[in-house]
Amino acid sequence: MLEEAIRGEKAAVEEYDTIIADMTLPPSTNSLLTKHRDNVQTALNKVSAMESIA
């Protein structure tokens, strides 16, 4: 179950990175997406830490 959560979070971070790299985004949108990506990355780090314990 944790492996699937990790896989999904990694895919989300990659999608955010792809969209954030689009230089035509308004700065406010870029900032919002960056914050969301950072939150997903934090969740990924927590789930990865849980996997190493299990």
Side-chain angles (χ1 to χ4, degrees):
M1 191 165 160
L2 289 175
E3 289 175 14
E4 286 301 309
I6 290 169
R7 187 175 66 79
E9 298 293 78
K10 282 182 180 179
V13 168
E14 289 173 7
E15 286 295 319
Y16 274 109
D17 286 341
T18 300
I19 294 168
I20 291 168
D22 180 357
M23 300 304 285
T24 63
L25 289 174
S28 60
T29 302
N30 188 299
S31 176
L32 179 65
L33 291 175
T34 299
K35 287 178 186 177
H36 282 233
R37 191 258 335 261
D38 292 347
N39 287 336
V40 173
Q41 183 65 55
T42 298
L44 173 60
N45 294 343
K46 288 178 183 179
V47 172
S48 294
M50 290 172 62
E51 183 184 45
S52 68
I53 293 171

